[in-house]
Amino acid sequence: MAILHTVNKSPFERDALESCLKHALAGSSVLLFEDGVAAAVDGTAYADQIKGAMENVSLFVLGEDLKARGLGEHKLIDGITVVDYKGFVELAGKNDTVQSWL
Amino acid sequence: MSDVKKFLYVNRKQPYGTIYALESLEVVLIGAAFEQDVSLAFVDDGVYQLTKGQDPSGIGMKNFSPTYTALGDYDINKIYVEKESLEARGLTIDDLQHLTWEDEDEDWAEKDSIRVVSASEMAEIMDQQDIVLSF
Amino acid sequence: MKFSILINEGPYQHQASDSAYKFIEAALEAGHEIFRVFFYHDGVNNSTRYTVPPQDDRNIQVRWSELAEKHDLDMVVCIAAAQRRGILDENEAQRQGKDGDNIAPGFRISGLGQLIEAGIQADRLVTFGD
């Protein structure tokens, strides 16, 4: 089974991302959206953890939420894929289940 | 087969501070009537939902923790509690309510519903589901 | 593909309702089917027609009602959660002895079983919440 994990919380505020990464099996996908996009930026206190996770899981970030928060795509960790809502829908369809880390 | 889906309810929040735990339990109880393959996961702060000795009288709320002990009567007996989440909070299984169910196939023998699993076991459990509902 | 959507937070307070709306729009645009949109927890507050947001802001309730009408969406508000939070349709208002109802067009109040059924019937259930 392949899971799309969605994280909508900043790692600076909640443990959703940390818990998600602890439970995301190799081959699964993680989409950062809403306040969760903060974790996609390089140079943050969580960047190394994200980079480590990216050896096993694919990281995506919702472009509209980045843009809304004034976070440019040039600031992202290398290898994170920017998707739009259409891409979000495609990810949800491509994976077998969607697990929201609320 | 296609009629029965594997449902996992993931609980990551404390009771009382927000209504998620209580309303999650309401979904679980209603969902039980649909005869799906149901599991409950208690991860992170969700483990606090199962502590014994809850008494919210002082905060003016109703104690809904006895409802967890009724889950066995609804044939909900796969209750997974994450070991790392307990440990990080200084809790052990002895701090939790004793949840049981009666096995029809073994002359109604009483069995434990709670299974303490590691985070990597929990990840595998999550991976086997058709529907994951997080509250 | 058939999607069911669960919305667990109210309008304006949280982005969940906005995200769900954008997701559903994109899914419909891509030719997918939305089996049901289920409103739970504070998500039931999306369904009151008594909201009056500032003119220059989005009207979340109206947006939902219009989307439902345009695409014949099944938007279900959980009855237990709705009762707690004062969301009533005409029947409920009468039954509970309240002097008025407030549910907006396109929403219907029903039981939690509708959420479980939404999970069973759809290919994917996507949750938006806190």
Side-chain angles (χ1 to χ4, degrees):
Chain A
M1 301 271 280
I3 302 183
L4 171 65
H5 299 273
T6 64
V7 176
N8 69 337
K9 285 293 166 300
S10 162
F12 299 100
E13 189 201 355
R14 306 262 193 106
D15 66 356
L17 178 67
E18 197 186 338
S19 197
C20 166
L21 294 179
K22 200 160 67 179
H23 296 95
L25 293 180
S28 57
S29 301
V30 176
L31 171 69
L32 305 169
F33 77 121
E34 296 179 0
D35 290 351
V37 299
V41 174
D42 202 359
T44 73
Y46 294 91
D48 285 344
Q49 199 184 335
I50 305 267
K51 287 174 191 170
M54 285 169 68
E55 290 171 18
N56 295 311
V57 304
S58 306
L59 257 288
F60 300 87
V61 62
L62 193 67
E64 285 88 338
D65 276 322
L66 276 178
K67 207 175 144 198
R69 289 158 178 79
L71 300 172
E73 291 185 19
H74 63 281
K75 292 184 77 74
L76 300 185
I77 294 169
D78 268 351
I80 293 189
T81 308
V82 179
V83 296
D84 55 10
Y85 284 100
K86 185 173 167 238
F88 184 174
V89 171
E90 281 167 10
L91 282 171
K94 251 185 355 204
N95 288 276
D96 299 302
T97 53
V98 183
Q99 180 165 356
S100 307
W101 288 85
L102 303 178
Chain B
M1 167 61 209
S2 61
D3 284 356
V4 176
K5 284 193 174 182
K6 288 173 79 82
F7 275 69
L8 177 70
Y9 296 89
V10 179
N11 299 282
R12 296 203 320 116
K13 295 185 168 94
Q14 290 190 30
Y16 308 116
T18 60
I19 199 169
Y20 299 104
L22 170 61
E23 287 191 332
S24 165
L25 196 52
E26 290 180 352
V27 180
V28 172
L29 295 175
I30 297 285
F34 285 75
E35 301 191 335
Q36 303 292 303
D37 183 353
V38 175
S39 303
L40 269 57
F42 293 88
V43 182
D44 301 323
D45 268 7
V47 300
Y48 290 118
Q49 294 182 26
L50 297 178
T51 54
K52 60 185 172 197
Q54 292 180 20
D55 177 12
S57 59
I59 55 170
M61 292 193 202
K62 190 182 144 192
N63 184 1
F64 63 93
S65 65
T67 311
Y68 293 103
T69 60
L71 290 172
D73 301 334
Y74 288 84
D75 286 330
I76 294 165
N77 51 41
K78 285 181 283 189
I79 300 177
Y80 300 101
V81 176
E82 189 167 285
K83 185 167 164 276
E84 287 86 340
S85 302
L86 284 175
E87 285 172 357
R89 286 158 184 80
L91 300 173
T92 70
I93 187 155
D94 295 331
D95 295 306
L96 307 184
Q97 296 197 81
H98 186 212
L99 306 186
T100 58
W101 63 290
E102 290 174 350
D103 191 345
E104 193 180 342
D105 298 330
E106 289 183 28
D107 197 23
W108 307 100
E110 193 174 88
K111 296 186 174 177
D112 287 343
S113 300
I114 292 183
R115 305 172 208 186
V116 176
V117 299
S118 68
S120 56
E121 287 171 312
M122 190 64 92
E124 295 289 341
I125 291 160
M126 289 171 172
D127 192 51
Q128 293 157 11
Q129 308 299 320
D130 296 311
I131 300 284
V132 179
L133 283 160
S134 312
F135 292 107
Chain C
M1 180 158 286
K2 222 190 288 183
F3 286 97
S4 283
I5 307 295
L6 171 61
I7 300 174
N8 288 338
E9 295 301 327
Y12 305 105
Q13 173 83 17
H14 196 284
Q15 201 186 336
S17 181
D18 296 281
S19 296
Y21 182 85
K22 298 291 285 184
F23 181 93
I24 291 169
E25 258 191 344
L28 290 168
E29 214 161 287
H32 298 298
E33 182 191 335
I34 303 296
F35 176 77
R36 181 168 294 150
V37 186
F38 193 89
F39 295 84
Y40 196 43
H41 301 306
D42 275 0
V44 301
N45 290 322
N46 285 282
S47 71
T48 170
R49 65 173 189 272
Y50 287 171
T51 53
V52 188
Q55 294 254 329
D56 60 351
D57 196 359
R58 68 222 189 277
N59 189 318
I60 292 179
Q61 171 268 306
V62 167
R63 207 169 60 176
W64 279 119
S65 292
E66 287 174 354
L67 192 72
E69 191 179 5
K70 188 171 167 199
H71 297 280
D72 199 20
L73 291 184
D74 185 22
M75 302 200 302
V76 178
V77 179
C78 167
I79 187 164
Q83 283 176 339
R84 281 194 179 105
R85 294 163 179 87
I87 302 291
L88 301 159
D89 62 11
E90 214 180 321
N91 283 340
E92 269 302 293
Q94 220 159 45
R95 212 164 64 90
Q96 307 292 346
K98 300 293 181 186
D99 55 11
D101 66 275
N102 58 353
I103 198 159
F107 292 91
R108 65 184 179 94
I109 293 182
S110 189
L112 273 172
Q114 299 272 308
L115 168 60
I116 306 298
E117 196 205 359
I120 294 171
Q121 297 296 330
D123 301 305
R124 302 284 183 278
L125 175 75
V126 186
T127 305
F128 295 88
D130 189 55

